[in-house]
Amino acid sequence: MTAPQSPRPNEPSAPPLLDKNAPPKPADTPKQLVGVYIKGMCMGAADIVPGVSGGTIALIAGIYERLINALGSIGPNLWQTFRQEAGIKGLLAVWRAVDATFLLFLLLGIASSFATLAGIIKHLLDNQPLYIWSFFFGLVVATVFILLSEIKRWNVGRVALFATGLIFAVVISSLPLLTTTPSLPYLFIAGAIAICAMILPGISGSFILLLLGAYDAVLEAVHTLNFSIIFTVIAGMATGLLLFTRALKWLLSRYYQATLALLTGFIAGSLVKVWPWKTDTLGTLNSEAINNVMPWHYPTGAHWLTTLGLMLLGAFLVSLLSWWGNRRNPV
């Protein structure tokens, strides 16, 4: 995922995300599509946890640029693509234009995670929060170091962008949670906002839903198959996604290293949210435990052996995912 050099010496950037003159990309092999599915499952598992972003996993796994490129290709221009061929050929042309096979397997992986892991992760968050937060804390710390190594030349602008992303993520993570009974229009808006956060590494879509008081309603709808809520949130997400990814696609294609610095700042700032040792306002443990404390002030003790072991496990797995992404996506 290392960015190649641009002709401009002061702004290394990734290749343009969409080159109309480039030859068609060979179709993914079944083995590659299985890899996309597995990465989608990893993204889904991360998105379930309020504070961890699926975009972070996509960035580390080497599929983030392809994902933004595919989503940013969805728009009114697809009608022109269809009309050029018409019929089945036109539909196939549209399918190829949006990299739909890649998106399909990625979404299948994300959906599989939500269907199979949502209950397990919710149970762990309710009953073993210290352990699951420790795992994701190690994962995020390793992610920050990996991405910092991708930024080849630091300057004042990139340092400022990194700091901006960090501060923004810290502020978002520190906002008070809303308690409300969400209506369907409210859930539509919440879904649109959350998906914009979900696609940004470091900004958790689940946490945005939590801030907006919609997280429990959405998770419960998935458990009980409440399709009115599920389809409303999906519609909101689709709307927000189409509006947001075009801007992000433009930034990545022209200012890759600067954008990467900003995104890495987002991820670093999210460490405030995934800090493992949390208590409530009275210094005790319950479902409202959201205040960070030092490990030695944690009511049941720091549990150093277990927490550090889980942090190392998270760091190892994300490093393995990064190695896999770089091996599958050589520059």
Side-chain angles (χ1 to χ4, degrees):
M1 199 179 67
T2 303
Q5 295 298 316
S6 165
R8 291 175 295 172
N10 295 326
E11 183 58 46
S13 66
L17 292 179
L18 184 60
D19 185 354
K20 295 181 180 179
N21 298 318
K25 181 184 174 184
D28 291 308
T29 65
K31 184 177 180 181
Q32 289 171 327
L33 291 175
V34 170
V36 171
Y37 175 82
I38 294 171
K39 291 173 182 178
M41 289 195 68
C42 294
M43 288 178 63
D47 276 325
I48 294 170
V49 180
V52 185
S53 168
T56 300
I57 302 300
L59 193 59
I60 284 295
I63 59 172
Y64 189 73
E65 293 160 56
R66 186 176 180 184
L67 174 61
I68 297 301
N69 183 39
L71 295 174
S73 299
I74 300 173
N77 59 308
L78 292 178
W79 175 244
Q80 186 64 31
T81 302
F82 173 76
R83 289 185 61 187
Q84 289 176 356
E85 300 284 350
I88 298 298
K89 288 185 178 180
L91 291 174
L92 291 175
V94 170
W95 184 272
R96 290 190 296 269
V98 300
D99 204 359
T101 303
F102 163 77
L103 287 178
L104 175 63
F105 277 82
L106 191 69
L107 289 174
L108 285 174
I110 293 172
S112 297
S113 265
F114 274 89
T116 58
L117 300 179
I120 297 172
I121 291 178
K122 188 175 187 300
H123 174 79
L124 291 173
L125 285 171
D126 291 340
N127 297 281
Q128 298 292 345
L130 177 62
Y131 296 154
I132 196 166
W133 287 125
S134 296
F135 172 80
F136 281 105
F137 186 83
L139 183 150
V140 174
V141 168
T143 297
V144 171
F145 279 104
I146 290 170
L147 295 181
L148 286 175
S149 70
E150 298 286 342
I151 301 173
K152 299 308 176 187
R153 287 200 293 271
W154 285 94
N155 54 35
V156 174
R158 289 174 191 167
V159 171
L161 286 169
F162 176 83
T164 299
L166 188 149
I167 293 169
F168 181 78
V170 169
V171 170
I172 289 291
S173 300
S174 305
L175 290 175
L177 306 181
L178 294 179
T179 55
T180 180
T181 302
S183 62
L184 289 181
Y186 185 87
L187 287 171
F188 179 90
I189 296 171
I193 296 173
I195 195 64
C196 294
M198 197 175 292
I199 207 70
L200 277 176
I203 307 294
S204 165
S206 297
F207 183 60
I208 296 298
L209 288 176
L210 199 62
L211 284 176
L212 296 175
Y215 181 75
D216 288 336
V218 173
L219 208 58
E220 183 66 23
V222 173
H223 286 318
T224 60
L225 297 179
N226 186 331
F227 291 109
S228 63
I229 290 179
I230 292 172
F231 289 144
T232 298
V233 174
I234 289 175
M237 288 182 169
T239 302
L241 200 60
L242 295 179
L243 295 175
F244 177 72
T245 49
R246 289 182 175 274
L248 191 55
K249 175 181 174 180
W250 184 87
L251 288 171
L252 283 169
S253 64
R254 289 164 175 80
Y255 306 103
Y256 179 80
Q257 293 272 298
T259 305
L260 184 61
L262 179 66
L263 298 180
T264 305
F266 286 148
I267 298 171
S270 72
L271 287 169
V272 172
K273 176 59 185 171
V274 296
W275 178 255
W277 294 277
K278 302 175 186 294
T279 64
D280 63 12
T281 53
L282 299 177
T284 57
L285 300 176
N286 58 30
S287 59
E288 304 300 322
I290 59 173
N291 299 312
N292 294 337
V293 297
M294 290 290 99
W296 46 88
H297 292 154
Y298 196 67
T300 61
H303 300 273
W304 288 115
L305 185 62
T306 305
T307 54
L308 291 179
L310 288 169
M311 287 179 191
L312 290 174
L313 177 62
F316 169 76
L317 290 178
V318 82
S319 300
L320 186 64
L321 187 61
S322 176
W323 169 81
W324 183 25
N326 284 321
R327 188 170 70 91
R328 293 291 180 184
N329 299 276
V331 175

